[in-house]
Amino acid sequence: MFKSKKVLIVQRVITSYRLELLKGLCEHFSEVGIVTSSGEKNGTLKKASYNLDDYENLNIHELKSFKIHYTGESRSTSIFFYPGVIKLIKLYDFLIIEGTTNVINNIYIIPIAKVMKKHIIWWDSGYSPAIRTLRRKIIDALIKPLVLMTNKQMAYSSKGEAYLKSHMGAKNSFSNLNTIDTDYFEKIRGEVNTSILEYCFDSSSIKLLYVGVVEKRKKIEELIMCVNNLNSNITDCSYTLDIVGGGNQLEELKSQYQSSDISFYGPIYDKERLKQFYFQSDLFVLPGDGGLAILQSLLYGLPVLCLYGADGTEEDYIHDKEFLLKHTEDIYTFLKEVKNIDRTTYLDYVDKVSSRFWIKKVLIALTNNHKD
């Protein structure tokens, strides 16, 4: 029913992994538009390369913007303001709006879209830290009127959905877990399953992996120190850590800690290269925040050790709750005492988190909003 309709996605920066996901909407709409800022050169805000030859109905509106550096919420390193979006709103039937982290734009976009009678989905991660700060309470109070103006509220996780309902005024919310395209993982399903079935845990040599941005909020230094302490105190087991990723802390940590036990590989975006790191490791460790890393690791068949509150998705994605810890320092105890790691629970995991499900939920939400 949407073949004659147009949908506009508004978010601060369009990253490669998000662009691949949103391309899937092109099959269902006459046009998919994405409003984005110019982005960064690296890290989680790394600008997507626009290879759009196969998608004539996908339009990237890369608008001039005012960029304001911001160090408040841990996952919001910059704010982008692009008033040029006002001209685009009237050209589209539906809007999917990045939520809290894009609030500076939402303050004017949502009221204008509401006046134009556009159907709006608010897309938000909610809030995952255990303690709700005063700052966050103020943010929620300011955002609540905007949320109430939207037709639907789409959360990244079931935990995020509960937060939207409890603290952000969401009345028509739903959770939509996956935020990356899974076509690649469906193609290598056989390799992933073989890696899982042939895996044999060796308690005398444990190989740890971290892939992601190397920044303080990710607590990579704490993970490195944990590995060094394990190797100093545990005599019957050796621990190694491979760190794949770039970021503003990479060179500092590399100069201090690189050794035979700790290896830095810099950013690697090619999944074919990355898969060997996942296949050859025992455990992915995420000591700080983040959710994409959890999903990608499990799709490669590698279990994840992380903290409750990584970004809220961990409770939906990780089956064995033993792998969810309360504090970063608990990583040491877990690794010291680990006796076995079973990967078989993640056989064919792609069937549970396929990006097809994400697209289907978006379409259902818009169908319930739209009246011909």
Side-chain angles (χ1 to χ4, degrees):
M1 67 177 290
F2 297 118
K3 283 295 185 180
S4 63
K5 302 296 180 181
K6 299 179 180 181
V7 60
L8 182 68
I9 297 106
V10 184
Q11 61 179 77
R12 294 176 307 151
V13 175
I14 181 69
T15 54
S16 295
Y17 69 84
R18 186 62 55 74
L19 179 59
E20 290 301 317
L21 175 72
L22 299 178
K23 281 179 180 178
L25 291 170
C26 291
E27 298 176 16
H28 303 277
F29 293 89
S30 65
E31 183 179 328
V32 175
I34 303 175
V35 172
T36 184
S37 301
S38 58
E40 302 286 354
K41 294 181 180 179
N42 51 45
T44 54
L45 296 183
K46 181 177 172 61
K47 176 181 167 184
S49 57
Y50 302 145
N51 181 13
L52 307 178
D53 294 342
D54 297 329
Y55 298 90
E56 294 180 357
N57 61 334
L58 177 62
N59 288 315
I60 307 294
H61 304 287
E62 190 171 309
L63 301 182
K64 291 182 179 180
S65 60
F66 302 100
K67 179 179 174 183
I68 308 166
H69 287 287
Y70 174 63
T71 56
E73 296 287 339
S74 62
R75 288 189 278 285
S76 303
T77 55
S78 299
I79 291 176
F80 298 92
F81 176 59
Y82 31 79
V85 71
I86 296 172
K87 296 179 181 178
L88 293 172
I89 293 174
K90 63 181 179 180
L91 303 177
Y92 290 84
D93 303 291
F94 305 108
L95 275 73
I96 300 174
I97 307 288
E98 181 184 353
T100 305
T101 54
N102 198 34
V103 68
I104 193 170
N105 293 295
N106 294 339
I107 287 170
Y108 63 92
I109 288 176
I110 291 176
I112 290 171
K114 197 67 179 176
V115 169
M116 294 182 182
K117 298 184 178 180
K118 305 297 180 180
H119 294 278
I120 310 165
I121 293 181
W122 174 283
W123 190 14
D124 207 298
S125 61
Y127 187 68
S128 54
I131 298 174
R132 186 169 171 248
T133 62
L134 175 61
R135 179 189 182 86
R136 181 65 200 205
K137 290 176 183 178
I138 293 171
I139 290 172
D140 289 341
L142 294 173
I143 284 175
K144 192 172 182 177
L146 296 175
V147 174
L148 288 169
M149 279 190 268
T150 62
N151 300 82
K152 291 279 186 176
Q153 302 83 40
M154 181 166 66
Y156 285 58
S157 65
S158 55
K159 185 174 184 178
E161 182 185 357
Y163 189 90
L164 283 166
K165 289 178 179 177
S166 299
H167 303 294
M168 296 174 66
K171 301 296 183 183
N172 296 295
S173 61
F174 64 101
S175 57
N176 205 358
L177 291 179
N178 189 7
T179 58
I180 64 172
D181 178 74
T182 55
D183 282 352
Y184 170 78
F185 296 99
E186 287 162 5
K187 290 174 184 175
I188 66 164
R189 176 198 300 266
E191 289 181 75
V192 171
N193 286 348
T194 297
S195 172
I196 292 172
L197 292 171
E198 292 182 352
Y199 172 72
C200 183
F201 179 72
D202 179 1
S203 60
S204 67
S205 177
I206 297 178
K207 297 178 285 296
L208 308 175
L209 176 66
Y210 170 82
V211 179
V213 180
V214 182
E215 295 176 351
K216 284 190 176 181
R217 67 185 176 91
K218 295 292 188 176
K219 300 184 178 180
I220 309 305
E221 186 168 20
E222 288 89 333
L223 176 58
I224 291 171
M225 294 173 67
C226 173
V227 171
N228 287 340
N229 288 337
L230 285 165
N231 284 324
S232 298
N233 298 321
I234 308 299
T235 57
D236 59 348
C237 181
S238 64
Y239 299 82
T240 60
L241 171 63
D242 288 337
I243 299 170
V244 178
N248 56 27
Q249 206 183 14
L250 174 61
E251 293 305 319
E252 173 191 343
L253 297 181
K254 194 174 179 180
S255 64
Q256 290 185 56
Y257 296 107
Q258 183 157 266
S259 66
S260 59
D261 300 323
I262 310 294
S263 300
F264 296 85
Y265 292 89
I268 299 174
Y269 300 106
D270 182 358
K271 289 186 176 66
E272 283 296 300
R273 287 183 62 197
L274 274 176
K275 72 181 180 184
Q276 297 308 320
F277 286 93
Y278 287 94
F279 291 169
Q280 294 168 11
S281 300
D282 294 300
L283 192 62
F284 189 100
V285 186
L286 184 66
D289 66 19
L292 174 62
I294 297 171
L295 175 59
Q296 180 167 280
S297 179
L298 297 176
L299 284 166
Y300 277 114
L302 182 64
V304 176
L305 180 67
C306 71
L307 276 63
Y308 280 102
D311 82 338
T313 62
E314 67 283 343
E315 295 179 54
D316 293 302
Y317 288 143
I318 297 174
H319 297 148
D320 189 343
K321 302 312 177 188
E322 268 189 64
F323 288 78
L324 294 176
L325 308 176
K326 292 184 178 180
H327 308 286
T328 304
E329 50 268 30
D330 295 338
I331 293 173
Y332 178 91
T333 303
F334 181 97
L335 293 173
K336 181 182 70 172
E337 298 175 352
V338 64
K339 302 299 181 186
N340 189 30
I341 296 174
D342 180 17
R343 294 186 184 178
T344 56
T345 188
Y346 298 109
L347 282 167
D348 294 310
Y349 187 70
V350 67
D351 289 336
K352 298 179 179 66
V353 295
S354 170
S355 50
R356 293 191 302 272
F357 302 148
W358 186 91
I359 292 170
K360 183 178 179 180
K361 282 196 171 185
V362 170
L363 296 177
I364 290 172
L366 292 176
T367 300
N368 291 341
N369 286 337
H370 182 62
K371 296 179 180 178
D372 285 320

